[in-house]
Amino acid sequence: MDGNDTDLFGNAPPQADLFASEERPGYEFRANPDRVRRRLNRFLAEARAARAMPWPEREARTIETIFPQMANWLPDDEADQLRFEFAQEIERLKKAA
């Protein structure tokens, strides 16, 4: 449809159809690796320093979920090492409970 097309009743197409074939510029988020690294290391340090789970249950589940995802913003070898160390600490803390 070009801009002059109308339906049988003389109505222009709905606005949503006007943009259906156009690509829209998207927003691409890029995390700051230094900030990510600091935050992950902070979580890891808290876990290492604790004798029992240092976070309330809900927060602990959230951190366990986001930690591996946040690590994706780091180089693969660094991310894998941090994930491994964090998983070890979480297992230790769960056994201590």
Side-chain angles (χ1 to χ4, degrees):
M1 284 186 143
D2 64 24
N4 297 325
D5 290 339
T6 58
D7 64 14
L8 295 174
F9 303 101
N11 298 317
Q15 186 170 357
D17 290 343
L18 293 174
F19 300 102
S21 64
E22 291 182 24
E23 288 188 33
R24 296 182 187 147
Y27 174 76
E28 185 176 332
F29 176 78
R30 294 243 182 240
N32 178 324
D34 292 329
R35 290 183 66 202
V36 169
R37 187 176 292 111
R38 281 193 303 270
R39 187 159 185 205
L40 293 179
N41 281 316
R42 189 182 80 231
F43 286 141
L44 188 55
E46 287 178 44
R48 283 181 175 148
R51 292 185 178 186
M53 189 64 72
W55 309 288
E57 184 179 341
R58 186 174 182 173
E59 185 177 357
R61 284 194 317 264
T62 300
I63 293 169
E64 285 180 69
T65 300
I66 67 169
F67 192 100
Q69 295 171 2
M70 287 177 65
N72 289 333
W73 292 103
L74 300 175
D76 290 342
D77 56 339
E78 181 181 9
D80 290 342
Q81 184 64 37
L82 284 169
R83 283 188 206 102
F84 175 75
E85 292 176 25
F86 185 73
Q88 282 185 316
E89 292 302 323
I90 292 299
E91 287 304 312
R92 179 186 64 81
L93 293 168
K94 286 180 177 179
K95 287 177 184 176

